[in-house]
Amino acid sequence: MNILFWVLWVIDLLLTFVVILAGIYRENTGAFNNNNFTFAVVLMLILVGSIVVRYTLQWPLISVLLAAIPLLIVLILYLFDL
């Protein structure tokens, strides 16, 4: 369970960097309807929240589920082609 948590957490961290870089790129191209800031804030809250839940509250299963939320959302969006 420990390895799964850290794999999911690193994937979430990389996804956060991609969202931030995509937001910077969209701003430089002149697109002003940018939702990437909101997505980046949500991803950062999930990253911090999963660490807090894992080490402060001592709930490892909930922290793994919390770290898996972004990947589940991406999977659902991919499956339904939204």
Side-chain angles (χ1 to χ4, degrees):
M1 190 73 74
N2 195 19
I3 293 172
L4 179 63
F5 170 76
W6 287 110
V7 167
L8 290 171
W9 197 85
V10 167
I11 291 172
D12 290 347
L13 184 65
L14 293 174
L15 186 62
T16 305
F17 287 139
V18 167
V19 167
I20 289 171
L21 291 176
I24 292 170
Y25 175 75
R26 282 183 58 91
E27 286 179 5
N28 288 337
T29 59
F32 296 110
N33 55 356
N34 191 359
N35 292 329
N36 289 352
F37 178 74
T38 306
F39 298 147
V41 168
V42 169
L43 284 170
M44 285 186 236
L45 287 173
I46 287 174
L47 285 171
V48 172
S50 63
I51 293 289
V52 167
V53 168
R54 182 157 191 94
Y55 292 112
T56 304
L57 300 176
Q58 300 291 322
W59 294 339
L61 182 62
I62 303 297
S63 68
V64 170
L65 292 174
L66 189 62
I69 288 174
L71 290 178
L72 291 174
I73 291 171
V74 168
L75 178 67
I76 290 169
L77 290 175
Y78 174 75
L79 290 175
F80 291 114
D81 196 26
L82 296 176

mmCIF file of all heavy atoms in Angstrom, residues 12 16 20 37-50:
data_model
loop_
_atom_site.group_PDB
_atom_site.id
_atom_site.type_symbol
_atom_site.label_atom_id
_atom_site.label_comp_id
_atom_site.label_asym_id
_atom_site.label_seq_id
_atom_site.Cartn_x
_atom_site.Cartn_y
_atom_site.Cartn_z
ATOM 1 N N ASP A 12 0.498 12.315 -9.567
ATOM 2 C CA ASP A 12 -0.263 13.537 -9.313
ATOM 3 C C ASP A 12 0.638 14.767 -9.364
ATOM 4 O O ASP A 12 0.239 15.818 -9.883
ATOM 5 C CB ASP A 12 -0.957 13.481 -7.956
ATOM 6 C CG ASP A 12 -2.092 12.479 -7.919
ATOM 7 O OD1 ASP A 12 -2.508 12.015 -8.998
ATOM 8 O OD2 ASP A 12 -2.543 12.161 -6.806
ATOM 9 N N THR A 16 0.310 17.814 -11.964
ATOM 10 C CA THR A 16 0.235 19.210 -11.527
ATOM 11 C C THR A 16 1.191 20.081 -12.326
ATOM 12 O O THR A 16 0.828 21.176 -12.765
ATOM 13 C CB THR A 16 0.546 19.316 -10.025
ATOM 14 O OG1 THR A 16 -0.331 18.462 -9.303
ATOM 15 C CG2 THR A 16 0.390 20.737 -9.537
ATOM 16 N N ILE A 20 0.180 23.213 -14.813
ATOM 17 C CA ILE A 20 0.750 24.555 -14.630
ATOM 18 C C ILE A 20 1.434 25.015 -15.911
ATOM 19 O O ILE A 20 1.258 26.160 -16.348
ATOM 20 C CB ILE A 20 1.716 24.565 -13.427
ATOM 21 C CG1 ILE A 20 0.925 24.428 -12.128
ATOM 22 C CG2 ILE A 20 2.545 25.847 -13.410
ATOM 23 C CD1 ILE A 20 1.783 24.217 -10.900
ATOM 24 N N PHE A 37 -5.739 27.226 -13.806
ATOM 25 C CA PHE A 37 -5.420 27.682 -12.455
ATOM 26 C C PHE A 37 -6.272 26.942 -11.430
ATOM 27 O O PHE A 37 -5.763 26.483 -10.400
ATOM 28 C CB PHE A 37 -5.630 29.193 -12.336
ATOM 29 C CG PHE A 37 -5.372 29.712 -10.948
ATOM 30 C CD1 PHE A 37 -4.078 29.823 -10.480
ATOM 31 C CD2 PHE A 37 -6.426 30.050 -10.119
ATOM 32 C CE1 PHE A 37 -3.838 30.279 -9.195
ATOM 33 C CE2 PHE A 37 -6.196 30.510 -8.840
ATOM 34 C CZ PHE A 37 -4.888 30.626 -8.380
ATOM 35 N N THR A 38 -7.545 26.776 -11.716
ATOM 36 C CA THR A 38 -8.438 26.055 -10.812
ATOM 37 C C THR A 38 -8.020 24.598 -10.683
ATOM 38 O O THR A 38 -7.973 24.046 -9.587
ATOM 39 C CB THR A 38 -9.887 26.134 -11.320
ATOM 40 O OG1 THR A 38 -10.230 27.494 -11.518
ATOM 41 C CG2 THR A 38 -10.841 25.491 -10.346
ATOM 42 N N PHE A 39 -7.703 23.973 -11.816
ATOM 43 C CA PHE A 39 -7.275 22.582 -11.785
ATOM 44 C C PHE A 39 -5.963 22.424 -11.010
ATOM 45 O O PHE A 39 -5.791 21.461 -10.269
ATOM 46 C CB PHE A 39 -7.107 22.046 -13.201
ATOM 47 C CG PHE A 39 -8.367 22.057 -14.007
ATOM 48 C CD1 PHE A 39 -8.324 22.265 -15.375
ATOM 49 C CD2 PHE A 39 -9.609 21.868 -13.420
ATOM 50 C CE1 PHE A 39 -9.482 22.283 -16.125
ATOM 51 C CE2 PHE A 39 -10.773 21.886 -14.156
ATOM 52 C CZ PHE A 39 -10.704 22.094 -15.516
ATOM 53 N N ALA A 40 -5.049 23.363 -11.179
ATOM 54 C CA ALA A 40 -3.771 23.296 -10.471
ATOM 55 C C ALA A 40 -3.970 23.441 -8.959
ATOM 56 O O ALA A 40 -3.331 22.732 -8.172
ATOM 57 C CB ALA A 40 -2.818 24.364 -10.985
ATOM 58 N N VAL A 41 -4.857 24.324 -8.543
ATOM 59 C CA VAL A 41 -5.130 24.497 -7.115
ATOM 60 C C VAL A 41 -5.752 23.231 -6.530
ATOM 61 O O VAL A 41 -5.369 22.785 -5.437
ATOM 62 C CB VAL A 41 -6.037 25.734 -6.873
ATOM 63 C CG1 VAL A 41 -6.555 25.767 -5.456
ATOM 64 C CG2 VAL A 41 -5.280 27.006 -7.198
ATOM 65 N N VAL A 42 -6.679 22.632 -7.249
ATOM 66 C CA VAL A 42 -7.307 21.397 -6.775
ATOM 67 C C VAL A 42 -6.269 20.279 -6.664
ATOM 68 O O VAL A 42 -6.234 19.530 -5.676
ATOM 69 C CB VAL A 42 -8.472 20.984 -7.701
ATOM 70 C CG1 VAL A 42 -8.955 19.587 -7.399
ATOM 71 C CG2 VAL A 42 -9.598 21.985 -7.575
ATOM 72 N N LEU A 43 -5.397 20.167 -7.655
ATOM 73 C CA LEU A 43 -4.354 19.137 -7.597
ATOM 74 C C LEU A 43 -3.378 19.374 -6.443
ATOM 75 O O LEU A 43 -2.954 18.426 -5.778
ATOM 76 C CB LEU A 43 -3.596 19.085 -8.927
ATOM 77 C CG LEU A 43 -4.333 18.403 -10.062
ATOM 78 C CD1 LEU A 43 -3.600 18.632 -11.374
ATOM 79 C CD2 LEU A 43 -4.479 16.922 -9.796
ATOM 80 N N MET A 44 -3.037 20.625 -6.195
ATOM 81 C CA MET A 44 -2.144 20.913 -5.071
ATOM 82 C C MET A 44 -2.813 20.600 -3.741
ATOM 83 O O MET A 44 -2.162 20.094 -2.819
ATOM 84 C CB MET A 44 -1.691 22.365 -5.118
ATOM 85 C CG MET A 44 -0.663 22.643 -6.176
ATOM 86 S SD MET A 44 -0.064 24.320 -6.067
ATOM 87 C CE MET A 44 -0.421 24.893 -7.700
ATOM 88 N N LEU A 45 -4.110 20.892 -3.629
ATOM 89 C CA LEU A 45 -4.834 20.547 -2.405
ATOM 90 C C LEU A 45 -4.886 19.039 -2.203
ATOM 91 O O LEU A 45 -4.762 18.553 -1.070
ATOM 92 C CB LEU A 45 -6.247 21.121 -2.441
ATOM 93 C CG LEU A 45 -6.371 22.625 -2.263
ATOM 94 C CD1 LEU A 45 -7.809 23.072 -2.488
ATOM 95 C CD2 LEU A 45 -5.883 23.034 -0.892
ATOM 96 N N ILE A 46 -5.049 18.286 -3.278
ATOM 97 C CA ILE A 46 -5.059 16.832 -3.174
ATOM 98 C C ILE A 46 -3.686 16.316 -2.768
ATOM 99 O O ILE A 46 -3.578 15.407 -1.935
ATOM 100 C CB ILE A 46 -5.541 16.203 -4.493
ATOM 101 C CG1 ILE A 46 -7.048 16.423 -4.639
ATOM 102 C CG2 ILE A 46 -5.212 14.726 -4.562
ATOM 103 C CD1 ILE A 46 -7.610 15.969 -5.954
ATOM 104 N N LEU A 47 -2.623 16.897 -3.326
ATOM 105 C CA LEU A 47 -1.269 16.472 -2.958
ATOM 106 C C LEU A 47 -0.995 16.717 -1.475
ATOM 107 O O LEU A 47 -0.520 15.828 -0.762
ATOM 108 C CB LEU A 47 -0.234 17.208 -3.809
ATOM 109 C CG LEU A 47 -0.082 16.754 -5.243
ATOM 110 C CD1 LEU A 47 0.813 17.724 -6.010
ATOM 111 C CD2 LEU A 47 0.485 15.358 -5.293
ATOM 112 N N VAL A 48 -1.297 17.917 -1.023
ATOM 113 C CA VAL A 48 -1.051 18.254 0.387
ATOM 114 C C VAL A 48 -1.991 17.466 1.293
ATOM 115 O O VAL A 48 -1.579 16.939 2.335
ATOM 116 C CB VAL A 48 -1.203 19.774 0.606
ATOM 117 C CG1 VAL A 48 -1.158 20.126 2.071
ATOM 118 C CG2 VAL A 48 -0.117 20.516 -0.155
ATOM 119 N N GLY A 49 -3.244 17.353 0.883
ATOM 120 C CA GLY A 49 -4.219 16.639 1.700
ATOM 121 C C GLY A 49 -3.897 15.164 1.860
ATOM 122 O O GLY A 49 -4.086 14.592 2.935
ATOM 123 N N SER A 50 -3.400 14.530 0.813
ATOM 124 C CA SER A 50 -3.068 13.111 0.931
ATOM 125 C C SER A 50 -1.894 12.884 1.877
ATOM 126 O O SER A 50 -1.876 11.913 2.636
ATOM 127 C CB SER A 50 -2.778 12.522 -0.451
ATOM 128 O OG SER A 50 -1.648 13.133 -1.028
#
